[in-house]
């Protein structure tokens, strides 16, 4: 596509595009607040494409080209996949184990010192264990499904 001549009038969408570019350069630290607001005002007052080009003339073009190809300024950062040894999964499992060891120890002391024999600690162990398994497998399956859709 050929570049329009300096006398070509600019549109609101072109002004908005330059404003977004200025915001990106401001966010990256290339412009201070005063210079950003001054250039933003110039961009919205621009009547021709040449006026818009002067607003961004000294800013690097490489970042501008990269943002055009991605379709915007949002950057997606993929979270690293959780593994079974990841602290996000291990901490709840350690808590589960610790609480159940404590409950079993209390039950064992009561069993050995009194005539109470009902294994009440299983009411903590079983439901919480089932919930932990469902959550763990759900998280791992969701991440595996997300990785498959990103690759496909």
């Amino acid at each position: 596509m050929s570049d329009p001549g300096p006398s070509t009038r600019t549109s609101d969408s072109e002004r908005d595009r330059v404003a977004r570019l200025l915001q990106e350069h401001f966010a990256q630290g290339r412009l201070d607040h005063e210079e950003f607001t001054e250039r933003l005002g110039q961009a919205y007052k621009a009547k021709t494409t040449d006026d818009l080009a002067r607003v961004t003339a000294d800013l690097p073009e490489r970042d501008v080209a990269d943002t055009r190809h991605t379709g915007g300024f949002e950057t997606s950062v993929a979270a690293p996949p959780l593994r079974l040894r990841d602290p996000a999964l291990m901490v709840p499992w350690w808590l589960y184990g610790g609480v159940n060891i404590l409950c079993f120890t209390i039950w064992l002391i009561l069993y050995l010192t009194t005539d109470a024999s009902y294994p009440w600690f299983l009411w903590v162990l079983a439901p919480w264990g089932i919930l932990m398994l469902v959550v763990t497998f759900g998280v791992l399956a969701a991440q595996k499904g997300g990785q498959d859709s990103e690759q496909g």
Side-chain angles (χ1 to χ4, degrees):
M1 187 169 126
S2 64
D3 289 333
S7 62
T8 303
R9 300 288 282 194
T10 188
S11 67
D12 287 337
S13 64
E14 289 172 327
R15 288 184 197 99
D16 290 338
R17 180 185 57 81
V18 170
R20 286 191 306 270
L21 292 174
L22 289 172
Q23 289 172 347
E24 181 66 23
H25 287 295
F26 175 64
Q28 291 176 358
R30 290 190 183 95
L31 300 171
D32 62 11
H33 181 69
E34 291 177 24
E35 190 174 14
F36 168 69
T37 53
E38 178 183 333
R39 288 182 187 220
L40 192 61
Q42 290 172 357
Y44 281 117
K45 290 178 186 175
K47 294 187 186 221
T48 64
T49 54
D50 194 37
D51 294 339
L52 282 178
R54 279 193 292 268
V55 172
T56 59
D58 62 337
L59 297 172
E61 285 292 322
R62 185 163 186 259
D63 290 337
V64 173
D66 289 346
T67 56
R68 284 184 189 152
H69 293 299
T70 60
F73 294 101
E74 53 190 75
T75 58
S76 62
V77 177
L82 285 178
R83 305 227 187 311
L84 288 177
R85 295 190 153 266
D86 194 289
L89 288 176
M90 289 301 294
V91 168
W93 278 104
W94 279 101
L95 288 171
Y96 168 76
V99 166
N100 283 294
I101 288 172
L102 178 65
C103 288
F104 178 77
T105 304
I106 293 170
W107 174 83
L108 187 61
I109 291 169
L110 291 173
Y111 178 77
L112 294 174
T113 59
T114 67
D115 60 348
S117 63
Y118 182 74
W120 56 265
F121 68 91
L122 294 176
W123 287 102
V124 177
L125 182 98
W128 192 4
I130 292 169
L131 181 67
M132 290 291 296
L133 286 172
V134 167
V135 168
T136 300
F137 287 128
V139 166
L140 294 175
Q143 283 192 338
K144 183 174 173 73
Q147 289 172 353
D148 291 345
S149 67
E150 286 176 6
Q151 292 173 357

